[in-house]
Amino acid sequence: APAEEGAAPPPSEPAEESSPAPRSRKVELGSVALAADGAGEPIPPDVVAALVAMAVGALAPPPPPPLTVVPEGDDHETALEAAKEADAAALAEYAASLDTEDRKRGFVIDGFPNSFEEAAALEKALTGLDPAREGFVRGRVSIVAPMREHEVAAKATPTFTSGLDAVVVLELPTEPDAQAATRRAMGRRIDAMTGKIYHLEYDPPPEDEPGLIERLQDLVPPEEARVHERMKEWGAGVEKHEDWLKKFAGLRVGLDATGNVEEVANALTGVVERVLAAKAAAEVVKEASENAAAAAAAAQTAAAAADEANSVVAACAKELLHLRKAEIQAKELVGAATAEAEEGADPPAETEGDDEPKDPAALALLAEKAAEAVAAELVKAQTAAAAADKALAEAAEAVEEANAAVKAASDSSAGAESVSEAREAAKAACEAAEAASVAARESLESAKTAGEDVKGHVERAEAAAKAATPEEVAALDPDAPKEGEEGEGEPPTDGENAPADGEAPVEPEERKPVPIVPVPLALADAIYEQWSGAETAYLEGMHQCFASMREERSLSLAHFVDAKKTFAEFLRRPDEKMTAVREFQSKFNDVDLDHRRDPRTKGELLVRADELRDALWDICDAKLQEAVDERRKIVEDAYVADHVVLATNHYVAMVQLELDKYAETHAVLADYYTARRGAELKEEGPEVAAPPDVLGEESPLPVPAADGEDTPKWLKEAIELTPTLAAAVSAALKYFKSVSPPEPDPENTEEAPAEPPAEGEEPPPPKTDAERAAETSAADLEEAMAIERHTVRWRMKRIVENAVAHAKHLKRVEAKALVRLEEYLRDRYHQECSAVAALVEEIKCAVDEERELVNDLILDDVDFIVLEEELAIPDPPPQPPAPPVEPPARGPGVFTASQLANLAAGLSSAAISGVMTAGECARVFARCAAVLTPADPGVPPAFSVCNEGVLAALARQFAFGDSLYCEWRPLIVSLLVDMYPVVIDASVERLASAAAQLAAPALAGRAAFANARKLWFLPARANSSQVDVAAIVMRALADAFAFEPGEEGAVDVESLVLHLCASPASAEAGTRKALELAKVLAALRLVPEARRRGLRDGDVSMEPDGASGDAATDSANPNPNPKPRDEDGPKESPEAPMEPEPTPEPPPTPEAAAARFAAMGPMSHAAVELLTRHDVRGVDVDVPALLRAGDEGGAVGLLADQATARWFSRYLVRDLHAMVEV
């Protein structure tokens, strides 16, 4: 950049007002490249390509000197000739200054481009080729006024002509491996002193240079992985780059680069030589083509000269023909004058205004002299025409020779490996030569044709010279008028516009066409943006109108569908017919059989049937009238008229869009044609009338008359159906008529000549180029707008046709819907009346058959139905099924399942701990024996007759040692064994298995236990007529062995299976089985210790062992201070349950319990240990305590000890029925 760029402004001027000098394109590109390189980013391909293109452009030779421009002046021709001579000398000097190197200068680019992006950027920089232009151009094609496909393709499809002569690709194999490339990369070395690069294998350094080997350094990092990585990165874009090169015919040249440097260099030299040979051949073709074009131009000039000579010959021949005719006529006049003179007549008088006398002899002499002169000129013209024909023939031969030279040059270059630039140059030269040759041939043909015509004129002139009469001369003149035709008149004598001899007519300057100039790019973009905005607004408006019309049509169809559906539902509305029918049927069936047989009753019933029919028909008539009124409301609804107006508004909006588009198009085309003709654009735009507002927002438009003169036929139907649209279209047509130029008068097709200026007035000055350009652009604009008006009229016609069809469609749909409603109404009324008639016919048949209307009669909508499965006189309801019966007991002393469950529930609610006095147990037994309601199960007969004393005696069989308390759970087990004797045969394994299966339901509560899997001895349910005995027994056991109150209270499944170990043989056998089962249960741990500990801490019950201990003390070791019984613990009684104390006393410790038991009397160690581990408040012995006692004394020892025997007497089954009998 210049040094002064960026310098500080002078001190006198503020710094803000100074602007930096504009930087060159090269500086801008360099700044971008430096910024990218400094940021560590790759330089953009377009920047590198632009810099390369600038470097290539600098290699071109200097441009030739410009031509001299000669201004207009008096001596313009002389100055123009001098300028031409000076320009020729300057060009010769320029050509001599170019040396051989300048003429053959070229360039080689190494290492760039390496990718598709770089290659595309380089071609764009060199030739302007842009592949993305096709999509850009096609994206800008108008939708409203689209171009033809070949026009779009001509503008959009790029021509792939490269700015390079060849692209040489050094090919190295990369498959199956990249060993060759790896060796190339790994073997390069650089001399740090000289900067020269060597290769250890392909270009080794010289061995005789001292110190060179030591100075060599690696050119690239020697890591082989890095080489493979670079090869992989390069190979990723190879395919895309190759596809780009294939678009240029013959541009890519592949060379095998596996050889050494000399081999590759020689191959590359061959490529360059072929390129140069192709370019030289193209130059030869181009030079031959230029010679052919010059020959063709000379041929055209010769043809023009021959044509001009022939024109002169033809003119001389025609003039000779006329003069010969005048000579003959003059001789006839001389003869006539001579005859009149001989007869003594006066000579003809002179005519006023004639300059010369009309002497026939003089005239004849003049005509004869003129004919001789013209004949002489004709001879000269023939000589010139012959010379022109000879030159024409020579030019034709030159053209043929030049064309042959072009063909020979083309054939000679066909064998060379030509490149794209040379091929294109040769092709262009051949096309130019061919065009010139064609033009020359056409000129020669026209010259030959003119020569043939001249020969005809000359032959007729020679024949006229030999003719003797004017008639013979006239017969030879092809331009003479025939008989009955008017003459053409005398040829024009005005010499101002007539061309001189041998010159072509000159066209006036004002009539020359105004040239078309290219539109500036910025203006073209502005015009395109203006048109794009207008087109977008038009398309969006049209899309909105079409969407609204589709929605309107859909809503209209849905309206009529809904109307038909609603009317059908209205016809099916309920009425009072079935009420009347049921009332009649009820009264009809009330008549007994004897009266039905009476003829008078029959007559009365028939009359009532007719009355029913009339009443039902009256209901049908009333419904019919209501339906007719409903249909009349639908007919009188103005839905169709309203929606026709709504749809018409959308069509009117479309007309407004067409008018707005017309106005926008006028503005766009005005700017376009003005720019095309080079006229000056006006800032305010062309003056054109604004289109009318057909939407009627300002004021409604008048509707045109159907019989108006200006009303087209296709608009007359719209005036009746869519008057708003008709008014809008009529206003649009009037607008088009106002902006259209006046139509020419068909009777006067000739243009009126321009009036000449009056005397004394100067003729108007000729029009300037700007005025002519403005007039031409205005004419072009009017021609285009005439086409646009025609198109808009056609579009409005289509809009009117669609609007009329839309309105007719709505009316047609409405008419069909109303007809369908009428059909619904009539069919419904007919069907209802028919159903009533069928009903009455059925009633009359029943009267004649003297029977009742047993079945239900239904008037279902429009059908009469006799429901045979429904009876008007229903049958008596069936008896309910008998409740399930419980199987009877096996004997009078055996409990049933319900009786056992009732007794277990009563005992559990009285004492959940399982211990109670015998009296309390007898009272619970007596309450269960009382049968107060049929639902009460009671007790077996053997027990129901027993009083409370006998029942108390039974309870004392299960006393807790010598105390007053008894255990009622062994009593339940004894009753269960009496019901199911198989229980006593159960093994320890079966009992443990049953405990394991019922452990989870037992902890879930009584209800879950009752619904769980049944025990092995319980019977299955035989059928649905029997109760589920097993479920009842399971519920009884749940109530008996629950150690927590309520339905959610847990069941002690260990205590249950231990009690089931009881044996009817002896307590020892039952105790032995219980001890064995306890060993199994101890391992299973079915009842969590925390749950059982909570039971011990929370239960409040009687302490039977305290009472028993007191009794033992009384018999063996009297105690002077016995404990009162009230302190032993609260007694549970059903009549007066004890309320639990708010803060119960904690249980005694094992040491206190052991001291207490020792004070009761002599006890064994096993008994003391057993009771120490037992809850001293009366709850059952747990499994660990049982196991401990069994280990120390066994079953025999436990039963032999009086203190422990009371705990194990429960394992003896008593026969209670036998006791009752005793």
Side-chain angles (χ1 to χ4, degrees):
E4 56 270 10
E5 290 185 7
S12 59
E13 297 181 1
E16 292 79 1
E17 297 180 359
S18 65
S19 59
R23 298 193 297 179
S24 64
R25 173 68 174 165
K26 190 173 183 179
V27 174
E28 292 287 346
L29 295 174
S31 300
V32 175
L34 286 176
D37 187 59
E41 299 176 354
I43 301 175
D46 55 342
V47 174
V48 180
L51 291 172
V52 171
M54 294 179 69
V56 169
L59 298 176
L67 299 178
T68 306
V69 178
V70 180
E72 296 288 341
D74 297 336
D75 198 6
H76 179 71
E77 296 294 336
T78 305
L80 185 60
E81 291 296 333
K84 288 182 179 179
E85 294 178 359
D87 290 340
L91 289 175
E93 184 180 358
Y94 168 75
S97 66
L98 295 178
D99 55 3
T100 305
E101 296 299 327
D102 289 336
R103 297 178 183 274
K104 297 182 179 181
R105 185 177 298 173
F107 60 91
V108 175
I109 306 174
D110 181 25
F112 181 86
N114 275 330
S115 64
F116 160 72
E117 291 77 10
E118 294 177 350
L122 181 61
E123 288 294 346
K124 186 175 181 180
L126 293 176
T127 63
L129 176 62
D130 188 5
R133 177 174 173 78
E134 182 174 5
F136 173 75
V137 172
R138 291 188 180 275
R140 290 167 67 102
V141 173
S142 174
I143 299 175
V144 175
M147 301 167 62
R148 295 181 178 88
E149 179 58 30
H150 69 276
E151 297 175 342
V152 177
K155 293 180 178 293
T157 304
T159 303
F160 288 94
T161 302
S162 177
L164 305 173
D165 292 333
V167 173
V168 182
V169 180
L170 304 181
E171 297 175 345
L172 281 178
T174 57
E175 293 180 359
D177 55 17
Q179 268 315 95
T182 304
R183 290 201 307 270
R184 292 286 176 87
M186 302 290 290
R188 288 190 293 176
R189 299 292 186 271
I190 185 173
D191 186 356
M193 180 181 297
T194 62
K196 188 176 180 180
I197 299 177
Y198 299 95
H199 195 280
L200 299 180
E201 182 178 356
Y202 298 101
D203 187 15
E207 298 179 356
D208 54 352
E209 184 175 349
L212 176 61
I213 304 299
E214 290 77 7
R215 293 199 309 268
L216 295 182
Q217 297 178 1
D218 291 332
L219 184 62
V220 295
E223 294 87 0
E224 185 175 353
R226 175 57 182 163
V227 176
H228 287 284
E229 182 180 351
R230 289 178 57 196
M231 291 293 297
K232 185 177 180 181
E233 293 176 357
W234 176 82
V238 169
E239 184 176 358
K240 194 174 182 181
H241 193 186
E242 291 291 335
D243 293 340
W244 168 258
L245 294 178
K246 290 178 182 177
K247 296 181 179 180
F248 303 90
L251 182 64
R252 183 188 185 279
V253 180
L255 289 184
D256 184 8
T258 56
N260 56 24
V261 176
E262 293 182 358
E263 294 174 352
V264 177
N266 293 334
L268 183 57
T269 303
V271 172
V272 174
E273 289 176 352
R274 288 195 297 272
V275 169
L276 294 176
K279 294 175 74 69
E283 289 293 334
V284 173
V285 173
K286 183 178 180 181
E287 184 177 356
S289 300
E290 290 176 353
N291 295 333
Q300 286 182 325
T301 304
D307 193 11
E308 183 178 353
N310 289 329
S311 300
V312 173
V313 171
C316 292
K318 289 183 180 181
E319 187 65 23
L320 179 61
L321 189 63
H322 288 292
L323 290 176
R324 182 57 182 165
K325 183 178 179 181
E327 181 185 356
I328 294 173
Q329 290 177 351
K331 289 181 179 181
E332 289 180 352
L333 290 175
V334 170
T338 303
E340 290 177 357
E342 291 177 354
E343 294 177 359
D346 295 332
E350 295 182 2
T351 307
E352 295 181 0
D354 290 341
D355 296 336
E356 296 180 359
K358 298 290 184 178
D359 186 1
L363 290 175
L365 182 59
L366 288 175
E368 185 177 358
K369 294 297 183 180
E372 292 176 357
V374 170
E377 292 294 331
L378 178 59
V379 173
K380 295 179 180 178
Q382 288 178 338
T383 304
D389 290 341
K390 184 179 179 181
L392 183 60
E394 293 176 355
E397 292 178 0
V399 169
E400 294 297 334
E401 292 176 359
N403 290 336
V406 171
K407 185 175 184 304
S410 301
D411 293 340
S412 64
S413 64
E417 293 284 342
S418 59
V419 294
S420 58
E421 183 182 358
R423 185 185 298 106
E424 293 298 328
K427 182 179 178 182
C430 290
E431 290 177 354
E434 182 66 21
S437 177
V438 170
R441 282 196 295 269
E442 291 178 355
S443 299
L444 292 176
E445 292 296 330
S446 62
K448 290 179 181 178
T449 304
E452 295 295 331
D453 295 339
V454 167
K455 289 181 180 179
H457 286 298
V458 172
E459 290 176 356
R460 285 192 292 274
E462 293 175 351
K466 299 177 181 179
T469 62
E471 288 77 8
E472 294 179 357
V473 176
L476 295 173
D477 189 2
D479 298 331
K482 308 300 180 185
E483 294 183 1
E485 296 182 0
E486 295 181 359
E488 296 291 337
E490 295 296 331
T493 58
D494 188 5
E496 295 181 1
N497 295 329
D501 292 341
E503 294 183 2
V506 179
E507 186 177 5
E509 186 69 22
E510 296 181 1
R511 296 184 181 179
K512 289 184 179 180
V514 178
I516 297 177
V517 299
V519 182
L521 183 60
L523 180 58
D525 290 339
I527 294 174
Y528 172 77
E529 292 298 331
Q530 184 180 3
W531 168 250
S532 178
E535 184 182 43
T536 302
Y538 174 78
L539 292 177
E540 289 179 355
M542 282 295 180
H543 289 165
Q544 184 176 0
C545 290
F546 286 135
S548 301
M549 286 188 289
R550 284 193 297 268
E551 183 180 3
E552 187 65 33
R553 187 183 294 270
S554 300
L555 291 176
S556 301
L557 295 178
H559 167 76
F560 290 114
V561 171
D562 185 66
K564 289 186 287 187
K565 186 184 299 184
T566 304
F567 189 75
E569 293 177 355
F570 178 78
L571 293 178
R572 291 193 295 268
R573 68 191 184 280
D575 50 30
E576 301 296 330
K577 286 187 294 202
M578 278 305 302
T579 303
V581 170
R582 294 194 183 281
E583 184 179 354
F584 176 84
Q585 188 175 6
S586 177
K587 294 180 180 180
F588 185 88
N589 291 334
D590 288 342
V591 180
D592 55 22
L593 183 58
D594 294 336
H595 285 83
R596 291 181 186 279
R597 296 173 181 173
D598 188 356
R600 291 174 297 180
T601 305
K602 289 184 177 181
E604 180 65 24
L605 292 177
L606 293 175
V607 171
R608 292 187 179 181
D610 292 338
E611 292 176 352
L612 175 64
R613 179 194 60 197
D614 295 340
L616 297 178
W617 279 353
D618 290 341
I619 296 176
C620 294
D621 293 340
K623 292 181 64 178
L624 174 63
Q625 186 59 41
E626 293 176 359
V628 169
D629 296 339
E630 184 67 20
R631 181 182 177 278
R632 184 181 298 109
K633 293 179 182 178
I634 298 175
V635 172
E636 295 174 354
D637 186 15
Y639 178 85
V640 172
D642 295 341
H643 281 261
V644 167
V645 172
L646 292 177
T648 303
N649 292 336
H650 299 314
Y651 289 105
V652 172
M654 295 174 67
V655 174
Q656 185 67 56
L657 289 173
E658 293 290 345
L659 292 174
D660 295 341
K661 182 177 73 69
Y662 174 83
E664 293 292 338
T665 304
H666 186 279
V668 171
L669 293 182
D671 293 343
Y672 172 74
Y673 284 115
T674 302
R676 288 269 290 177
R677 295 298 180 178
E680 182 181 0
L681 288 176
K682 298 180 180 180
E683 295 183 0
E684 63 274 5
E687 296 180 1
V688 60
D693 180 17
V694 298
L695 295 176
E697 295 179 355
E698 298 179 358
S699 61
L701 300 174
V703 180
D707 54 353
E709 296 180 357
D710 297 337
T711 303
K713 294 181 180 180
W714 48 268
L715 191 60
K716 293 181 179 180
E717 195 171 9
I719 294 174
E720 179 183 356
L721 296 175
T722 57
T724 307
L725 177 62
V729 173
S730 177
L733 295 177
K734 290 180 181 179
Y735 167 72
F736 287 152
K737 188 175 181 180
S738 65
V739 298
S740 301
E743 298 180 358
D745 188 3
E747 297 180 357
N748 185 15
T749 57
E750 298 182 358
E751 294 183 1
E755 296 183 359
E759 295 183 1
E761 293 183 0
E762 296 182 359
K767 296 179 180 179
T768 63
D769 293 343
E771 292 176 347
R772 293 173 53 244
E775 290 180 356
T776 306
S777 64
D780 295 342
L781 175 62
E782 177 54 37
E783 182 180 358
M785 295 312 298
I787 298 174
E788 182 68 15
R789 285 192 294 271
H790 176 74
T791 303
V792 174
R793 287 192 186 96
W794 179 82
R795 287 177 177 269
M796 288 193 298
K797 182 181 177 181
R798 293 294 304 273
I799 291 173
V800 170
E801 291 173 353
N802 281 274
V804 171
H806 193 162
K808 289 182 178 180
H809 174 72
L810 285 181
K811 293 182 180 297
R812 186 166 56 252
V813 171
E814 181 190 30
K816 288 184 178 180
L818 294 178
V819 171
R820 186 60 58 87
L821 296 183
E822 181 69 21
E823 293 176 357
Y824 286 171
L825 188 149
R826 298 301 175 187
D827 293 345
R828 179 77 181 193
Y829 177 74
H830 176 72
Q831 292 170 359
E832 289 184 355
C833 292
S834 300
V836 170
L839 170 66
V840 174
E841 186 65 26
E842 175 67 19
I843 294 173
K844 290 182 178 181
C845 290
V847 173
D848 294 339
E849 296 174 3
E850 301 175 358
R851 59 178 173 82
E852 297 177 341
L853 297 173
V854 179
N855 299 105
D856 198 3
L857 305 179
I858 301 297
L859 282 177
D860 183 16
D861 205 6
V862 294
D863 298 324
F864 167 62
I865 303 174
V866 178
L867 295 179
E868 296 181 355
E869 63 275 10
E870 298 291 339
L871 300 177
I873 306 175
D875 293 336
Q879 295 294 332
V885 179
E886 186 177 0
R890 294 187 300 106
V894 179
F895 275 66
T896 64
S898 299
Q899 293 171 348
L900 182 67
N902 190 28
L903 179 60
L907 293 174
S908 176
S909 61
I912 194 172
S913 62
V915 179
M916 61 192 315
T917 62
E920 291 177 343
C921 182
R923 286 193 293 274
V924 173
F925 214 117
R927 281 201 307 272
C928 292
V931 180
L932 303 179
T933 63
D936 294 335
V939 294
F943 294 94
S944 62
V945 298
C946 298
N947 54 24
E948 291 188 6
V950 176
L951 296 175
L954 291 177
R956 280 193 291 272
Q957 296 297 322
F958 301 92
F960 191 74
D962 297 334
S963 66
L964 299 177
Y965 294 89
C966 63
E967 290 186 304
W968 56 266
R969 288 191 176 97
L971 184 147
I972 295 296
V973 172
S974 296
L975 296 176
L976 180 65
V977 171
D978 199 11
M979 295 171 59
Y980 304 103
V982 71
V983 174
I984 61 176
D985 298 332
S987 63
V988 173
E989 290 79 5
R990 180 179 288 277
L991 291 171
S993 175
Q997 293 176 0
L998 294 174
L1003 296 175
R1006 302 184 187 186
F1009 184 86
N1011 296 325
R1013 185 173 180 177
K1014 309 302 183 288
L1015 292 171
W1016 75 93
F1017 57 85
L1018 296 176
R1021 189 175 183 180
N1023 49 54
S1024 59
S1025 62
Q1026 293 183 356
V1027 297
D1028 191 359
V1029 176
I1032 299 175
V1033 174
M1034 291 293 291
R1035 178 66 191 196
L1037 296 177
D1039 291 336
F1041 290 93
F1043 56 80
E1044 292 178 355
E1047 285 292 322
E1048 302 298 330
V1051 178
D1052 192 352
V1053 69
E1054 291 181 348
S1055 177
L1056 170 62
V1057 295
L1058 287 173
H1059 278 78
L1060 293 181
C1061 292
S1063 173
S1066 63
E1068 181 181 353
T1071 301
R1072 188 177 299 110
K1073 183 188 290 188
L1075 292 176
E1076 294 177 3
L1077 181 60
K1079 295 178 182 179
V1080 179
L1081 295 179
L1084 296 178
R1085 298 182 180 179
L1086 300 178
V1087 179
E1089 186 63 25
R1091 193 75 174 266
R1092 187 179 297 278
R1093 188 181 301 113
L1095 170 65
R1096 294 173 182 169
D1097 297 342
D1099 286 344
V1100 179
S1101 57
M1102 188 62 189
E1103 294 181 359
D1105 37 51
S1108 175
D1110 293 342
T1113 303
D1114 293 340
S1115 59
N1117 187 16
N1119 191 355
N1121 297 317
K1123 285 186 178 181
R1125 293 191 181 272
D1126 294 338
E1127 296 179 2
D1128 292 343
K1131 299 179 180 180
E1132 295 184 2
S1133 174
E1135 288 80 4
M1138 296 295 293
E1139 290 292 336
E1141 297 180 4
T1143 53
E1145 296 180 1
T1149 60
E1151 293 76 9
R1156 179 183 176 188
F1157 293 139
M1160 293 180 184
M1163 297 179 65
S1164 66
H1165 176 72
V1168 173
E1169 188 69 19
L1170 175 64
L1171 296 180
T1172 301
R1173 293 182 176 275
H1174 169 61
D1175 188 348
V1176 296
R1177 286 176 292 181
V1179 183
D1180 197 1
V1181 179
D1182 55 4
V1183 172
L1186 185 60
L1187 290 176
R1188 180 70 176 274
D1191 291 341
E1192 294 182 356
V1196 178
L1198 292 175
L1199 292 173
D1201 192 344
Q1202 183 179 2
T1204 57
R1206 56 182 178 175
W1207 292 100
F1208 299 100
S1209 62
R1210 68 182 66 170
Y1211 297 113
L1212 176 64
V1213 176
R1214 282 84 168 178
D1215 188 359
L1216 300 180
H1217 183 212
M1219 295 179 183
V1220 168
E1221 290 179 349
V1222 173

